[in-house]
Amino acid sequence: MQDSLNEYSRRRFLGNVTSGLMGVGLSHLLGVDSLGGQSPVQANWKPGQGMTHLEPRAKRVLQIFCPGAASHMDLWEHKPMLEKFHDKPLPGEENFFSFQGKNGPLMRSPWDFVPAGQSGKMITSLLPHMAKHVDDIAFFHGMQSKTNTHGPGCVFVNTGHPTEGFPSAGAWVSYGLGSANENLPSFVVLNSAGSVAPHGGVGLYGSGYLPAGNQGSILQVDNSEPVRNVKPRESLLAQRNRLSFLKGFDKSFLSQTGENLQVESAIKNYETAYKMQAAIPELCDLSGETETTKKLYGLDSRDKQTAGYARQCLLARRLVERGVRFVELSCINEGIGAGNAANPWDQHGALEKGHAAMAHQVDQPIAGLLKDLKAKGLLDETLVVWGGEFGRTPFSQGSNGRDHNPYGYSVWLAGGGVKGGTIHGATDEFGYHVTENKCEIYDLWATVLHLLGLDHEHLTYRHGGRDLRLTDVYGSVIREIVA
């Protein structure tokens, strides 16, 4: 009898355990915490409606993309050993061949590094204006890339994939959060006349398989017509009638086919384009800005590139002020006299000349942007992301350049939800390989989405039979830099 009771007890115990484990698994699939709390991911979340999975720290992103691979050991990460071993071979790498051939000896930075801010962060003397803002910045010194060529590198940074055809980060944010201003696109790319797109072209800002309304709209900030055809060629009444006619056909098609995100996106694009005719000229009219503000950014600079980039930065503030979800700035690559057109930070030779020109172009405008955002209370809700596609080597190429380095480089974040004055990761004593807290683009974008209140594993889109996402099947939130 006792044996029967023991057998019954064992069966009941195993049954309860099995049921409990099944419940845990089922609750995970359903997004319910098995301990009775709410899942971090909202069960009723829907894309494009301003909803978030988590409590957001930021409302929008401002990406400062610097194509060509800015040198981390010449800008952000001080390496005294380069001074000590200048003009000597990199230990253990004497016969190493890098991207463009056999490397030369180690090369010290042409610029001094100085402590900045209360944190005492060592930063290049090339960036005196930005040095004033290091206490608002979280530096990622442990970045790595999967590629050492510009095209795939630029695509990787902007889309989370080293091959073309995938949605950009801006498109994902637009898709996930939707628009906060019905008169402007939710994703805007700022460009200056004469500049060409980085390697990867306009696909860097594309929507890929996401609905077309999420792609970046390019704004030529110094053109009389910043967006082509933004000035109406017919009366607004004629346009309104034309749009209503088209909308009727589209809605009829939708009623026959059911939900179709591509058709809905087309309808939305027509409406946004119509409203942009009034919004864009007003946005680009800087006559209401004070002379003090314009001078803060550097619009009065005698340097054409600095003044042009300053205009981009000021318009970036005006866009985030108006609720645009994602704004991306483009470096000016016309007439700088160093690097190549698509990659102005790319100095395989004449590093000192090229980096000095680019630093002068962006230093004051970016610093002015950070100061202005902070003064207007916008920095706390705007996440600023700075970076290029990879870094540069600590050894020389030729006599005075640096080659590509995907094994270690730096990016930084500032603003919305970021713990300023922090450093995450490091490269070795020469700046070549990551030695602490390796971080990839997947981790960077997972962190950006987290600060926006979006869970990178749940921001997905069904395409080709798979639920695809910005971070592919990788990525972890870097919580050490989250305030």
Side-chain angles (χ1 to χ4, degrees), residues 70 154 187 230 259 290 439 474 479:
C154 291
F187 175 20
V230 76
E259 182 178 339
T290 66
C439 182
Y474 311 102
R479 299 185 184 277

mmCIF file of all heavy atoms in Angstrom, residues 70 154 187 230 259 290 439 474 479:
data_model
loop_
_atom_site.group_PDB
_atom_site.id
_atom_site.type_symbol
_atom_site.label_atom_id
_atom_site.label_comp_id
_atom_site.label_asym_id
_atom_site.label_seq_id
_atom_site.Cartn_x
_atom_site.Cartn_y
_atom_site.Cartn_z
ATOM 1 N N ALA A 70 37.350 57.341 -39.551
ATOM 2 C CA ALA A 70 38.138 58.263 -38.746
ATOM 3 C C ALA A 70 39.032 57.467 -37.795
ATOM 4 O O ALA A 70 38.653 56.414 -37.297
ATOM 5 C CB ALA A 70 37.208 59.185 -37.955
ATOM 6 N N CYS A 154 30.177 50.608 -44.737
ATOM 7 C CA CYS A 154 29.143 51.643 -44.626
ATOM 8 C C CYS A 154 27.750 51.018 -44.585
ATOM 9 O O CYS A 154 26.879 51.465 -43.825
ATOM 10 C CB CYS A 154 29.248 52.618 -45.795
ATOM 11 S SG CYS A 154 30.716 53.671 -45.765
ATOM 12 N N PHE A 187 11.978 59.964 -41.255
ATOM 13 C CA PHE A 187 13.410 59.713 -41.401
ATOM 14 C C PHE A 187 13.951 60.665 -42.460
ATOM 15 O O PHE A 187 13.541 60.615 -43.617
ATOM 16 C CB PHE A 187 13.618 58.247 -41.798
ATOM 17 C CG PHE A 187 15.038 57.835 -42.104
ATOM 18 C CD1 PHE A 187 16.147 58.556 -41.664
ATOM 19 C CD2 PHE A 187 15.282 56.669 -42.842
ATOM 20 C CE1 PHE A 187 17.441 58.160 -41.954
ATOM 21 C CE2 PHE A 187 16.573 56.247 -43.125
ATOM 22 C CZ PHE A 187 17.644 56.994 -42.687
ATOM 23 N N VAL A 230 9.445 70.095 -54.496
ATOM 24 C CA VAL A 230 8.705 70.480 -53.302
ATOM 25 C C VAL A 230 7.904 71.759 -53.536
ATOM 26 O O VAL A 230 6.927 72.037 -52.846
ATOM 27 C CB VAL A 230 9.655 70.647 -52.092
ATOM 28 C CG1 VAL A 230 10.440 71.947 -52.183
ATOM 29 C CG2 VAL A 230 8.890 70.552 -50.778
ATOM 30 N N GLU A 259 -5.610 44.027 -46.191
ATOM 31 C CA GLU A 259 -4.486 44.824 -45.700
ATOM 32 C C GLU A 259 -3.270 44.642 -46.600
ATOM 33 O O GLU A 259 -2.855 43.536 -46.908
ATOM 34 C CB GLU A 259 -4.137 44.393 -44.272
ATOM 35 C CG GLU A 259 -3.004 45.209 -43.665
ATOM 36 C CD GLU A 259 -2.711 44.787 -42.232
ATOM 37 O OE1 GLU A 259 -3.603 44.186 -41.598
ATOM 38 O OE2 GLU A 259 -1.606 45.060 -41.757
ATOM 39 N N THR A 290 18.576 83.407 -34.306
ATOM 40 C CA THR A 290 19.366 84.570 -33.915
ATOM 41 C C THR A 290 20.782 84.465 -34.482
ATOM 42 O O THR A 290 21.272 83.376 -34.787
ATOM 43 C CB THR A 290 19.459 84.684 -32.385
ATOM 44 O OG1 THR A 290 20.207 83.568 -31.871
ATOM 45 C CG2 THR A 290 18.068 84.689 -31.756
ATOM 46 N N CYS A 439 32.492 45.090 -28.853
ATOM 47 C CA CYS A 439 31.140 45.528 -29.217
ATOM 48 C C CYS A 439 31.029 45.550 -30.728
ATOM 49 O O CYS A 439 31.936 46.027 -31.419
ATOM 50 C CB CYS A 439 30.887 46.917 -28.638
ATOM 51 S SG CYS A 439 29.243 47.585 -28.956
ATOM 52 N N TYR A 474 21.716 38.535 -33.587
ATOM 53 C CA TYR A 474 22.763 38.861 -32.625
ATOM 54 C C TYR A 474 22.347 40.049 -31.773
ATOM 55 O O TYR A 474 21.220 40.506 -31.805
ATOM 56 C CB TYR A 474 24.069 39.194 -33.363
ATOM 57 C CG TYR A 474 24.461 38.184 -34.411
ATOM 58 C CD1 TYR A 474 24.232 38.433 -35.777
ATOM 59 C CD2 TYR A 474 25.055 36.978 -34.064
ATOM 60 C CE1 TYR A 474 24.601 37.514 -36.747
ATOM 61 C CE2 TYR A 474 25.420 36.049 -35.028
ATOM 62 C CZ TYR A 474 25.188 36.324 -36.363
ATOM 63 O OH TYR A 474 25.550 35.412 -37.313
ATOM 64 N N ARG A 479 24.382 47.762 -21.226
ATOM 65 C CA ARG A 479 23.692 48.410 -20.104
ATOM 66 C C ARG A 479 24.609 49.303 -19.261
ATOM 67 O O ARG A 479 24.127 50.156 -18.526
ATOM 68 C CB ARG A 479 23.025 47.350 -19.230
ATOM 69 C CG ARG A 479 21.980 46.548 -20.017
ATOM 70 C CD ARG A 479 21.209 45.566 -19.165
ATOM 71 N NE ARG A 479 20.292 44.780 -20.006
ATOM 72 C CZ ARG A 479 19.086 45.195 -20.383
ATOM 73 N NH1 ARG A 479 18.651 46.379 -19.973
ATOM 74 N NH2 ARG A 479 18.329 44.455 -21.150
#
